[in-house]
Amino acid sequence: MAEWLYEEGIGENRAILLEGGEIIEAAMELPGEVRAGAVVAGRLVKILVTARRGIVEHGGGEALLEPLPRELTQGQALRVEIVREAVPEKGRPKLARCRVSDASERAGPSLRERLPQARLHSPRGRDRFEEAAWSERLEEAMTGEVAFPGGALRMSVTPAMTLFDVDGALPPGELAVAGAEAAARAIRRFGIGGSIGIDLPTLPKAERHLPAAALDALLPQPFERTGVNGFGFLQLVRRRERPSLPELLQADPVAAAARGLLRRAEWTGGIGPRTLHAAPAVVARLEGEPDWVAELERRIGAPVALRAEPGLAISGGHVHAQQA
């Protein structure tokens, strides 16, 4: 039976859907962001395309208003509903999207509110996140390298779409089906929405329906897709309300590593002071977030020291604790 688990972490909240001991869906929320479903008061500060698109400034930042009602004028106050959260990207983050709303102002539902059935997971027993390879799944989302029996996916997050390249040593027909199945699992696990492309091995026309059918069997609706074309390319579109896990992690790998190290420290057994060993960039980020470190000390009931080790990769941090 599938089961949701939820953690209120330090600097992030996280949830996983477990089935048969495997993470089939994962979600992460960074507190303080304006969430999808929020209704906020703002002002139309710029008309980009008359009667089509404009920019609304609100207390939490800016959002792209589309469609833009013809009667609105620049400088006009209004209320809007956030229909897609801002998406972090290298260089130029994508603005949130919004639409005009007559509803009262409200916050968008939090991750916890979206998953009321989830069981609270806290460091007082088994670490079921790590038992289900949580760190390994995060590494996949960060690097884009996702292995499967007989091959591997290379996932690339681009401004236009998320792309999956399928490679491996299996015969082309088997590799195409296995790759489509692996891509379907990754899309669901990482919460990938919007436009998605999958580059499969080139197949004879009579076999092109097989990887498409394999994807349909594993990826829950709703989504729309093309067939596999003569170059082995399949494209699909899923509803998108918030950033995917790869987008969140890849936008700021140092912050992601710092938050992951805090989780490791919270779950590390022992007594007395804890020392967090990490790459200098990760230590600098933790030093810049004193509330995070203070919250860790409160949760474990012990002082925390930070030690920079130049030879460590940003993902190579570890925790030293005195054992009971």
Side-chain angles (χ1 to χ4, degrees), residues 47-82:
I47 294 176
L48 300 174
V49 182
T50 302
R52 288 185 58 189
R53 187 180 304 122
I55 294 178
V56 172
E57 189 177 80
H58 57 87
E62 292 183 334
L64 191 66
L65 175 60
E66 191 174 21
L68 173 64
R70 186 175 294 274
E71 66 272 14
L72 290 183
T73 58
Q74 192 162 302
Q76 186 170 340
L78 72 167
R79 283 196 305 275
V80 295
E81 179 182 359
I82 303 299

PDB file of all heavy atoms in Angstrom, residues 47-82:
ATOM      1  N   ILE A  47       2.776  46.730 -19.041  1.00  0.00           N
ATOM      2  CA  ILE A  47       2.034  46.006 -20.071  1.00  0.00           C
ATOM      3  C   ILE A  47       3.036  45.566 -21.131  1.00  0.00           C
ATOM      4  O   ILE A  47       3.692  46.400 -21.769  1.00  0.00           O
ATOM      5  CB  ILE A  47       0.930  46.883 -20.684  1.00  0.00           C
ATOM      6  CG1 ILE A  47      -0.141  47.196 -19.626  1.00  0.00           C
ATOM      7  CG2 ILE A  47       0.288  46.178 -21.884  1.00  0.00           C
ATOM      8  CD1 ILE A  47      -1.224  48.140 -20.105  1.00  0.00           C
ATOM      9  N   LEU A  48       3.191  44.267 -21.271  1.00  0.00           N
ATOM     10  CA  LEU A  48       4.145  43.727 -22.241  1.00  0.00           C
ATOM     11  C   LEU A  48       3.523  43.627 -23.630  1.00  0.00           C
ATOM     12  O   LEU A  48       4.146  43.991 -24.627  1.00  0.00           O
ATOM     13  CB  LEU A  48       4.643  42.360 -21.779  1.00  0.00           C
ATOM     14  CG  LEU A  48       5.366  42.332 -20.436  1.00  0.00           C
ATOM     15  CD1 LEU A  48       5.671  40.897 -20.031  1.00  0.00           C
ATOM     16  CD2 LEU A  48       6.643  43.156 -20.486  1.00  0.00           C
ATOM     17  N   VAL A  49       2.312  43.077 -23.692  1.00  0.00           N
ATOM     18  CA  VAL A  49       1.566  42.972 -24.945  1.00  0.00           C
ATOM     19  C   VAL A  49       0.135  43.401 -24.641  1.00  0.00           C
ATOM     20  O   VAL A  49      -0.530  42.782 -23.809  1.00  0.00           O
ATOM     21  CB  VAL A  49       1.580  41.537 -25.523  1.00  0.00           C
ATOM     22  CG1 VAL A  49       0.824  41.505 -26.850  1.00  0.00           C
ATOM     23  CG2 VAL A  49       3.004  41.037 -25.705  1.00  0.00           C
ATOM     24  N   THR A  50      -0.352  44.428 -25.292  1.00  0.00           N
ATOM     25  CA  THR A  50      -1.681  44.962 -25.017  1.00  0.00           C
ATOM     26  C   THR A  50      -2.741  43.870 -25.129  1.00  0.00           C
ATOM     27  O   THR A  50      -2.772  43.111 -26.102  1.00  0.00           O
ATOM     28  CB  THR A  50      -2.011  46.102 -25.998  1.00  0.00           C
ATOM     29  OG1 THR A  50      -1.013  47.121 -25.862  1.00  0.00           O
ATOM     30  CG2 THR A  50      -3.381  46.703 -25.712  1.00  0.00           C
ATOM     31  N   ALA A  51      -3.583  43.814 -24.088  1.00  0.00           N
ATOM     32  CA  ALA A  51      -4.695  42.863 -24.023  1.00  0.00           C
ATOM     33  C   ALA A  51      -4.238  41.405 -23.994  1.00  0.00           C
ATOM     34  O   ALA A  51      -5.053  40.502 -24.182  1.00  0.00           O
ATOM     35  CB  ALA A  51      -5.671  43.078 -25.181  1.00  0.00           C
ATOM     36  N   ARG A  52      -2.932  41.181 -23.733  1.00  0.00           N
ATOM     37  CA  ARG A  52      -2.465  39.792 -23.696  1.00  0.00           C
ATOM     38  C   ARG A  52      -1.604  39.480 -22.479  1.00  0.00           C
ATOM     39  O   ARG A  52      -1.827  38.470 -21.812  1.00  0.00           O
ATOM     40  CB  ARG A  52      -1.662  39.459 -24.966  1.00  0.00           C
ATOM     41  CG  ARG A  52      -2.507  39.342 -26.215  1.00  0.00           C
ATOM     42  CD  ARG A  52      -1.665  38.900 -27.394  1.00  0.00           C
ATOM     43  NE  ARG A  52      -0.991  37.632 -27.154  1.00  0.00           N
ATOM     44  CZ  ARG A  52      -0.064  37.121 -27.956  1.00  0.00           C
ATOM     45  NH1 ARG A  52       0.323  37.780 -29.039  1.00  0.00           N
ATOM     46  NH2 ARG A  52       0.491  35.963 -27.680  1.00  0.00           N
ATOM     47  N   ARG A  53      -0.628  40.351 -22.168  1.00  0.00           N
ATOM     48  CA  ARG A  53       0.348  39.961 -21.152  1.00  0.00           C
ATOM     49  C   ARG A  53       0.893  41.199 -20.447  1.00  0.00           C
ATOM     50  O   ARG A  53       1.179  42.218 -21.077  1.00  0.00           O
ATOM     51  CB  ARG A  53       1.493  39.198 -21.808  1.00  0.00           C
ATOM     52  CG  ARG A  53       2.491  38.589 -20.857  1.00  0.00           C
ATOM     53  CD  ARG A  53       3.591  37.853 -21.612  1.00  0.00           C
ATOM     54  NE  ARG A  53       3.063  36.844 -22.511  1.00  0.00           N
ATOM     55  CZ  ARG A  53       3.278  36.809 -23.829  1.00  0.00           C
ATOM     56  NH1 ARG A  53       4.011  37.740 -24.400  1.00  0.00           N
ATOM     57  NH2 ARG A  53       2.775  35.842 -24.567  1.00  0.00           N
ATOM     58  N   GLY A  54       1.021  41.076 -19.102  1.00  0.00           N
ATOM     59  CA  GLY A  54       1.598  42.165 -18.328  1.00  0.00           C
ATOM     60  C   GLY A  54       2.276  41.636 -17.085  1.00  0.00           C
ATOM     61  O   GLY A  54       2.243  40.429 -16.793  1.00  0.00           O
ATOM     62  N   ILE A  55       2.921  42.536 -16.344  1.00  0.00           N
ATOM     63  CA  ILE A  55       3.615  42.159 -15.115  1.00  0.00           C
ATOM     64  C   ILE A  55       2.930  42.825 -13.931  1.00  0.00           C
ATOM     65  O   ILE A  55       2.691  44.040 -13.939  1.00  0.00           O
ATOM     66  CB  ILE A  55       5.101  42.558 -15.172  1.00  0.00           C
ATOM     67  CG1 ILE A  55       5.821  41.738 -16.242  1.00  0.00           C
ATOM     68  CG2 ILE A  55       5.771  42.342 -13.813  1.00  0.00           C
ATOM     69  CD1 ILE A  55       7.295  42.094 -16.412  1.00  0.00           C
ATOM     70  N   VAL A  56       2.621  42.005 -12.924  1.00  0.00           N
ATOM     71  CA  VAL A  56       1.998  42.478 -11.691  1.00  0.00           C
ATOM     72  C   VAL A  56       3.034  42.435 -10.581  1.00  0.00           C
ATOM     73  O   VAL A  56       3.710  41.414 -10.396  1.00  0.00           O
ATOM     74  CB  VAL A  56       0.779  41.604 -11.311  1.00  0.00           C
ATOM     75  CG1 VAL A  56       0.255  41.977  -9.924  1.00  0.00           C
ATOM     76  CG2 VAL A  56      -0.317  41.750 -12.348  1.00  0.00           C
ATOM     77  N   GLU A  57       3.159  43.524  -9.862  1.00  0.00           N
ATOM     78  CA  GLU A  57       4.038  43.572  -8.689  1.00  0.00           C
ATOM     79  C   GLU A  57       3.192  43.395  -7.444  1.00  0.00           C
ATOM     80  O   GLU A  57       2.155  44.040  -7.288  1.00  0.00           O
ATOM     81  CB  GLU A  57       4.765  44.917  -8.655  1.00  0.00           C
ATOM     82  CG  GLU A  57       5.859  45.009  -7.613  1.00  0.00           C
ATOM     83  CD  GLU A  57       6.584  46.343  -7.701  1.00  0.00           C
ATOM     84  OE1 GLU A  57       6.038  47.342  -7.178  1.00  0.00           O
ATOM     85  OE2 GLU A  57       7.665  46.382  -8.314  1.00  0.00           O
ATOM     86  N   HIS A  58       3.617  42.487  -6.547  1.00  0.00           N
ATOM     87  CA  HIS A  58       2.878  42.239  -5.312  1.00  0.00           C
ATOM     88  C   HIS A  58       3.878  42.117  -4.170  1.00  0.00           C
ATOM     89  O   HIS A  58       5.095  42.206  -4.367  1.00  0.00           O
ATOM     90  CB  HIS A  58       2.009  40.984  -5.435  1.00  0.00           C
ATOM     91  CG  HIS A  58       2.774  39.738  -5.791  1.00  0.00           C
ATOM     92  ND1 HIS A  58       3.372  38.933  -4.864  1.00  0.00           N
ATOM     93  CD2 HIS A  58       3.057  39.187  -7.010  1.00  0.00           C
ATOM     94  CE1 HIS A  58       3.978  37.935  -5.465  1.00  0.00           C
ATOM     95  NE2 HIS A  58       3.807  38.051  -6.769  1.00  0.00           N
ATOM     96  N   GLY A  59       3.373  41.915  -2.973  1.00  0.00           N
ATOM     97  CA  GLY A  59       4.238  41.899  -1.801  1.00  0.00           C
ATOM     98  C   GLY A  59       5.311  40.834  -1.822  1.00  0.00           C
ATOM     99  O   GLY A  59       6.354  40.982  -1.176  1.00  0.00           O
ATOM    100  N   GLY A  60       5.093  39.758  -2.582  1.00  0.00           N
ATOM    101  CA  GLY A  60       6.071  38.681  -2.631  1.00  0.00           C
ATOM    102  C   GLY A  60       6.941  38.698  -3.865  1.00  0.00           C
ATOM    103  O   GLY A  60       7.712  37.764  -4.093  1.00  0.00           O
ATOM    104  N   GLY A  61       6.834  39.758  -4.692  1.00  0.00           N
ATOM    105  CA  GLY A  61       7.656  39.820  -5.890  1.00  0.00           C
ATOM    106  C   GLY A  61       6.861  40.256  -7.099  1.00  0.00           C
ATOM    107  O   GLY A  61       6.000  41.146  -7.018  1.00  0.00           O
ATOM    108  N   GLU A  62       7.100  39.609  -8.235  1.00  0.00           N
ATOM    109  CA  GLU A  62       6.402  39.921  -9.471  1.00  0.00           C
ATOM    110  C   GLU A  62       5.824  38.648 -10.070  1.00  0.00           C
ATOM    111  O   GLU A  62       6.304  37.545  -9.807  1.00  0.00           O
ATOM    112  CB  GLU A  62       7.359  40.558 -10.486  1.00  0.00           C
ATOM    113  CG  GLU A  62       7.848  41.944 -10.102  1.00  0.00           C
ATOM    114  CD  GLU A  62       8.732  42.559 -11.162  1.00  0.00           C
ATOM    115  OE1 GLU A  62       9.360  41.776 -11.929  1.00  0.00           O
ATOM    116  OE2 GLU A  62       8.799  43.792 -11.226  1.00  0.00           O
ATOM    117  N   ALA A  63       4.778  38.827 -10.880  1.00  0.00           N
ATOM    118  CA  ALA A  63       4.161  37.693 -11.553  1.00  0.00           C
ATOM    119  C   ALA A  63       3.696  38.127 -12.928  1.00  0.00           C
ATOM    120  O   ALA A  63       3.342  39.297 -13.152  1.00  0.00           O
ATOM    121  CB  ALA A  63       2.983  37.155 -10.738  1.00  0.00           C
ATOM    122  N   LEU A  64       3.711  37.181 -13.858  1.00  0.00           N
ATOM    123  CA  LEU A  64       3.274  37.428 -15.226  1.00  0.00           C
ATOM    124  C   LEU A  64       1.767  37.213 -15.301  1.00  0.00           C
ATOM    125  O   LEU A  64       1.277  36.125 -14.966  1.00  0.00           O
ATOM    126  CB  LEU A  64       3.999  36.479 -16.173  1.00  0.00           C
ATOM    127  CG  LEU A  64       3.889  36.744 -17.668  1.00  0.00           C
ATOM    128  CD1 LEU A  64       4.573  38.055 -18.034  1.00  0.00           C
ATOM    129  CD2 LEU A  64       4.505  35.584 -18.450  1.00  0.00           C
ATOM    130  N   LEU A  65       1.037  38.259 -15.708  1.00  0.00           N
ATOM    131  CA  LEU A  65      -0.421  38.176 -15.828  1.00  0.00           C
ATOM    132  C   LEU A  65      -0.782  37.858 -17.271  1.00  0.00           C
ATOM    133  O   LEU A  65      -0.497  38.633 -18.187  1.00  0.00           O
ATOM    134  CB  LEU A  65      -1.057  39.501 -15.402  1.00  0.00           C
ATOM    135  CG  LEU A  65      -2.578  39.620 -15.571  1.00  0.00           C
ATOM    136  CD1 LEU A  65      -3.297  38.548 -14.746  1.00  0.00           C
ATOM    137  CD2 LEU A  65      -3.049  41.012 -15.178  1.00  0.00           C
ATOM    138  N   GLU A  66      -1.422  36.716 -17.461  1.00  0.00           N
ATOM    139  CA  GLU A  66      -1.811  36.276 -18.797  1.00  0.00           C
ATOM    140  C   GLU A  66      -3.005  35.337 -18.686  1.00  0.00           C
ATOM    141  O   GLU A  66      -2.917  34.343 -17.957  1.00  0.00           O
ATOM    142  CB  GLU A  66      -0.640  35.572 -19.487  1.00  0.00           C
ATOM    143  CG  GLU A  66      -0.840  35.312 -20.954  1.00  0.00           C
ATOM    144  CD  GLU A  66       0.398  34.733 -21.629  1.00  0.00           C
ATOM    145  OE1 GLU A  66       1.260  34.178 -20.921  1.00  0.00           O
ATOM    146  OE2 GLU A  66       0.497  34.833 -22.847  1.00  0.00           O
ATOM    147  N   PRO A  67      -4.158  35.657 -19.307  1.00  0.00           N
ATOM    148  CA  PRO A  67      -4.390  36.783 -20.208  1.00  0.00           C
ATOM    149  C   PRO A  67      -4.553  38.095 -19.439  1.00  0.00           C
ATOM    150  O   PRO A  67      -4.921  38.104 -18.267  1.00  0.00           O
ATOM    151  CB  PRO A  67      -5.691  36.400 -20.906  1.00  0.00           C
ATOM    152  CG  PRO A  67      -6.405  35.547 -19.892  1.00  0.00           C
ATOM    153  CD  PRO A  67      -5.330  34.780 -19.180  1.00  0.00           C
ATOM    154  N   LEU A  68      -4.283  39.173 -20.123  1.00  0.00           N
ATOM    155  CA  LEU A  68      -4.395  40.512 -19.557  1.00  0.00           C
ATOM    156  C   LEU A  68      -5.706  41.137 -20.036  1.00  0.00           C
ATOM    157  O   LEU A  68      -5.865  41.421 -21.227  1.00  0.00           O
ATOM    158  CB  LEU A  68      -3.203  41.368 -20.013  1.00  0.00           C
ATOM    159  CG  LEU A  68      -3.229  42.850 -19.647  1.00  0.00           C
ATOM    160  CD1 LEU A  68      -3.186  43.019 -18.136  1.00  0.00           C
ATOM    161  CD2 LEU A  68      -2.062  43.582 -20.285  1.00  0.00           C
ATOM    162  N   PRO A  69      -6.676  41.335 -19.118  1.00  0.00           N
ATOM    163  CA  PRO A  69      -7.944  41.948 -19.537  1.00  0.00           C
ATOM    164  C   PRO A  69      -7.712  43.304 -20.196  1.00  0.00           C
ATOM    165  O   PRO A  69      -6.916  44.114 -19.732  1.00  0.00           O
ATOM    166  CB  PRO A  69      -8.714  42.089 -18.218  1.00  0.00           C
ATOM    167  CG  PRO A  69      -8.150  41.012 -17.341  1.00  0.00           C
ATOM    168  CD  PRO A  69      -6.690  40.953 -17.701  1.00  0.00           C
ATOM    169  N   ARG A  70      -8.430  43.544 -21.291  1.00  0.00           N
ATOM    170  CA  ARG A  70      -8.230  44.761 -22.083  1.00  0.00           C
ATOM    171  C   ARG A  70      -8.495  46.027 -21.285  1.00  0.00           C
ATOM    172  O   ARG A  70      -7.877  47.071 -21.509  1.00  0.00           O
ATOM    173  CB  ARG A  70      -9.136  44.713 -23.323  1.00  0.00           C
ATOM    174  CG  ARG A  70      -8.919  45.845 -24.306  1.00  0.00           C
ATOM    175  CD  ARG A  70      -9.767  45.647 -25.547  1.00  0.00           C
ATOM    176  NE  ARG A  70      -9.337  44.473 -26.294  1.00  0.00           N
ATOM    177  CZ  ARG A  70      -8.358  44.480 -27.197  1.00  0.00           C
ATOM    178  NH1 ARG A  70      -7.689  45.601 -27.434  1.00  0.00           N
ATOM    179  NH2 ARG A  70      -8.047  43.385 -27.842  1.00  0.00           N
ATOM    180  N   GLU A  71      -9.421  45.931 -20.290  1.00  0.00           N
ATOM    181  CA  GLU A  71      -9.801  47.133 -19.551  1.00  0.00           C
ATOM    182  C   GLU A  71      -8.776  47.564 -18.509  1.00  0.00           C
ATOM    183  O   GLU A  71      -8.846  48.669 -17.961  1.00  0.00           O
ATOM    184  CB  GLU A  71     -11.159  46.931 -18.866  1.00  0.00           C
ATOM    185  CG  GLU A  71     -11.183  45.877 -17.768  1.00  0.00           C
ATOM    186  CD  GLU A  71     -11.466  44.466 -18.279  1.00  0.00           C
ATOM    187  OE1 GLU A  71     -11.388  44.261 -19.522  1.00  0.00           O
ATOM    188  OE2 GLU A  71     -11.772  43.602 -17.454  1.00  0.00           O
ATOM    189  N   LEU A  72      -7.801  46.735 -18.212  1.00  0.00           N
ATOM    190  CA  LEU A  72      -6.805  47.104 -17.213  1.00  0.00           C
ATOM    191  C   LEU A  72      -5.800  48.095 -17.791  1.00  0.00           C
ATOM    192  O   LEU A  72      -5.367  47.973 -18.939  1.00  0.00           O
ATOM    193  CB  LEU A  72      -6.060  45.859 -16.713  1.00  0.00           C
ATOM    194  CG  LEU A  72      -6.859  44.870 -15.846  1.00  0.00           C
ATOM    195  CD1 LEU A  72      -5.956  43.740 -15.389  1.00  0.00           C
ATOM    196  CD2 LEU A  72      -7.476  45.562 -14.645  1.00  0.00           C
ATOM    197  N   THR A  73      -5.405  49.050 -16.956  1.00  0.00           N
ATOM    198  CA  THR A  73      -4.415  50.048 -17.382  1.00  0.00           C
ATOM    199  C   THR A  73      -3.189  49.968 -16.490  1.00  0.00           C
ATOM    200  O   THR A  73      -3.258  49.501 -15.350  1.00  0.00           O
ATOM    201  CB  THR A  73      -5.000  51.469 -17.299  1.00  0.00           C
ATOM    202  OG1 THR A  73      -5.416  51.724 -15.951  1.00  0.00           O
ATOM    203  CG2 THR A  73      -6.179  51.618 -18.243  1.00  0.00           C
ATOM    204  N   GLN A  74      -2.068  50.402 -17.027  1.00  0.00           N
ATOM    205  CA  GLN A  74      -0.823  50.366 -16.258  1.00  0.00           C
ATOM    206  C   GLN A  74      -0.948  51.219 -15.003  1.00  0.00           C
ATOM    207  O   GLN A  74      -1.443  52.334 -15.042  1.00  0.00           O
ATOM    208  CB  GLN A  74       0.325  50.851 -17.134  1.00  0.00           C
ATOM    209  CG  GLN A  74       1.695  50.587 -16.542  1.00  0.00           C
ATOM    210  CD  GLN A  74       2.791  50.656 -17.586  1.00  0.00           C
ATOM    211  OE1 GLN A  74       2.758  49.921 -18.569  1.00  0.00           O
ATOM    212  NE2 GLN A  74       3.755  51.540 -17.387  1.00  0.00           N
ATOM    213  N   GLY A  75      -0.497  50.634 -13.868  1.00  0.00           N
ATOM    214  CA  GLY A  75      -0.595  51.306 -12.584  1.00  0.00           C
ATOM    215  C   GLY A  75      -1.832  50.941 -11.792  1.00  0.00           C
ATOM    216  O   GLY A  75      -1.954  51.316 -10.611  1.00  0.00           O
ATOM    217  N   GLN A  76      -2.748  50.197 -12.391  1.00  0.00           N
ATOM    218  CA  GLN A  76      -4.009  49.859 -11.727  1.00  0.00           C
ATOM    219  C   GLN A  76      -3.802  48.799 -10.656  1.00  0.00           C
ATOM    220  O   GLN A  76      -3.051  47.838 -10.837  1.00  0.00           O
ATOM    221  CB  GLN A  76      -5.020  49.369 -12.765  1.00  0.00           C
ATOM    222  CG  GLN A  76      -6.419  49.115 -12.208  1.00  0.00           C
ATOM    223  CD  GLN A  76      -7.416  48.866 -13.323  1.00  0.00           C
ATOM    224  OE1 GLN A  76      -7.180  49.225 -14.481  1.00  0.00           O
ATOM    225  NE2 GLN A  76      -8.539  48.254 -12.988  1.00  0.00           N
ATOM    226  N   ALA A  77      -4.485  48.994  -9.508  1.00  0.00           N
ATOM    227  CA  ALA A  77      -4.456  48.005  -8.432  1.00  0.00           C
ATOM    228  C   ALA A  77      -5.428  46.878  -8.754  1.00  0.00           C
ATOM    229  O   ALA A  77      -6.484  47.099  -9.365  1.00  0.00           O
ATOM    230  CB  ALA A  77      -4.817  48.657  -7.105  1.00  0.00           C
ATOM    231  N   LEU A  78      -5.087  45.671  -8.329  1.00  0.00           N
ATOM    232  CA  LEU A  78      -5.919  44.502  -8.604  1.00  0.00           C
ATOM    233  C   LEU A  78      -5.521  43.359  -7.682  1.00  0.00           C
ATOM    234  O   LEU A  78      -4.521  43.442  -6.958  1.00  0.00           O
ATOM    235  CB  LEU A  78      -5.791  44.073 -10.057  1.00  0.00           C
ATOM    236  CG  LEU A  78      -4.476  43.404 -10.526  1.00  0.00           C
ATOM    237  CD1 LEU A  78      -4.681  42.763 -11.899  1.00  0.00           C
ATOM    238  CD2 LEU A  78      -3.321  44.360 -10.573  1.00  0.00           C
ATOM    239  N   ARG A  79      -6.327  42.318  -7.699  1.00  0.00           N
ATOM    240  CA  ARG A  79      -5.975  41.079  -6.995  1.00  0.00           C
ATOM    241  C   ARG A  79      -5.774  39.986  -8.027  1.00  0.00           C
ATOM    242  O   ARG A  79      -6.519  39.905  -9.014  1.00  0.00           O
ATOM    243  CB  ARG A  79      -7.068  40.666  -5.996  1.00  0.00           C
ATOM    244  CG  ARG A  79      -7.079  41.460  -4.720  1.00  0.00           C
ATOM    245  CD  ARG A  79      -7.905  40.776  -3.627  1.00  0.00           C
ATOM    246  NE  ARG A  79      -9.257  40.499  -4.048  1.00  0.00           N
ATOM    247  CZ  ARG A  79     -10.285  41.363  -3.980  1.00  0.00           C
ATOM    248  NH1 ARG A  79     -10.061  42.587  -3.503  1.00  0.00           N
ATOM    249  NH2 ARG A  79     -11.495  41.020  -4.364  1.00  0.00           N
ATOM    250  N   VAL A  80      -4.773  39.149  -7.770  1.00  0.00           N
ATOM    251  CA  VAL A  80      -4.489  38.060  -8.699  1.00  0.00           C
ATOM    252  C   VAL A  80      -4.291  36.753  -7.926  1.00  0.00           C
ATOM    253  O   VAL A  80      -3.904  36.762  -6.760  1.00  0.00           O
ATOM    254  CB  VAL A  80      -3.222  38.341  -9.543  1.00  0.00           C
ATOM    255  CG1 VAL A  80      -3.447  39.536 -10.457  1.00  0.00           C
ATOM    256  CG2 VAL A  80      -2.000  38.557  -8.656  1.00  0.00           C
ATOM    257  N   GLU A  81      -4.570  35.656  -8.608  1.00  0.00           N
ATOM    258  CA  GLU A  81      -4.301  34.321  -8.065  1.00  0.00           C
ATOM    259  C   GLU A  81      -3.049  33.763  -8.735  1.00  0.00           C
ATOM    260  O   GLU A  81      -2.919  33.810  -9.962  1.00  0.00           O
ATOM    261  CB  GLU A  81      -5.478  33.384  -8.318  1.00  0.00           C
ATOM    262  CG  GLU A  81      -5.235  31.967  -7.777  1.00  0.00           C
ATOM    263  CD  GLU A  81      -6.368  31.012  -8.066  1.00  0.00           C
ATOM    264  OE1 GLU A  81      -7.366  31.439  -8.682  1.00  0.00           O
ATOM    265  OE2 GLU A  81      -6.253  29.828  -7.687  1.00  0.00           O
ATOM    266  N   ILE A  82      -2.138  33.231  -7.924  1.00  0.00           N
ATOM    267  CA  ILE A  82      -0.925  32.615  -8.460  1.00  0.00           C
ATOM    268  C   ILE A  82      -1.287  31.225  -8.986  1.00  0.00           C
ATOM    269  O   ILE A  82      -1.737  30.356  -8.232  1.00  0.00           O
ATOM    270  CB  ILE A  82       0.172  32.503  -7.378  1.00  0.00           C
ATOM    271  CG1 ILE A  82       0.484  33.883  -6.782  1.00  0.00           C
ATOM    272  CG2 ILE A  82       1.424  31.866  -7.965  1.00  0.00           C
ATOM    273  CD1 ILE A  82       0.995  34.901  -7.765  1.00  0.00           C
TER     274      ILE A  82
END
